[in-house]
Amino acid sequence: MAAPTLLLLGSLAMLFAFAFASDPSSLQDFCVADPMSPVTVNGFPCKDPWEAKGEDFFFSGFHLAGNTSNAVGSRVTPVNVEQIPGLNTLGISLARIDYAPGGINPPHTHPRASEILTVLDGQLEVGFVTSNPDNDHIVKILNKGDVYVFPIGLIHYQRNFGSSNAVAIAALNSQNPGVITIANAVFGANPEINSDILAKAFQLDKNVIAFAQSKF
């Protein structure tokens, strides 16, 4: 009896782990987000379903290239619950990413979602780093039509590896996956993180840390 019981408990644990790996499942047809509601919940409250309209489930402009004239040479166009209120409680979102030649989507994490990336045009170098203590750097060159997965919470990035513009579509298993860009969070915190802490963490001179903070 002990072995079957342990097997059953192990299977249930795996099921629960999977169930809580992304946003909770909806218990109704839809729950259009009501950003004007005074009620604060983990997400958005629902507006009256009788007031739902086609525009609540719609976004236009994904065919338009993003402006990559910035320091990192990329532009992310998100389509999450902020852009489509009807995504509320559905547990999915998208993003279009445009890259200039040599442009990067800097190292970042999504605290609430795994990501699956599809290259629509161009060539990308992509990678992610596993958690401590190994910190393995897993990297791959992608071409048009290739698909790559970034596990939830891990630091990852993309770089345009070609000589022309590149475009990719990212799908994420959260209506609001969040994004933490590592450099911005560490060197651009408001109020800033004490330079003594960062100097020890990065094993760098405080003047180097101060210079990095000045960039953000």
Side-chain angles (χ1 to χ4, degrees), residues 20-120:
F20 290 105
S22 60
D23 294 350
S25 298
S26 178
L27 298 178
Q28 54 204 40
D29 288 345
F30 54 81
C31 170
V32 175
D34 180 7
M36 305 305 294
S37 173
V39 178
T40 301
V41 296
N42 186 22
F44 292 94
C46 310
K47 76 176 186 181
D48 189 332
W50 291 102
E51 296 179 3
K53 51 188 183 298
E55 287 76 10
D56 292 328
F57 304 88
F58 171 79
F59 174 84
S60 180
F62 228 37
H63 62 294
L64 300 175
N67 183 359
T68 58
S69 299
N70 52 57
V72 296
S74 71
R75 177 69 63 185
V76 178
T77 303
V79 182
N80 55 42
V81 71
E82 300 284 352
Q83 287 75 39
I84 303 182
L87 276 179
N88 198 32
T89 75
L90 299 185
I92 54 173
S93 58
L94 285 174
R96 170 181 171 138
I97 313 164
D98 291 273
Y99 314 81
I104 65 168
N105 188 10
H108 62 281
T109 71
H110 300 293
R112 295 180 290 276
S114 296
E115 174 182 341
I116 185 165
L117 184 87
T118 303
V119 180
L120 299 185

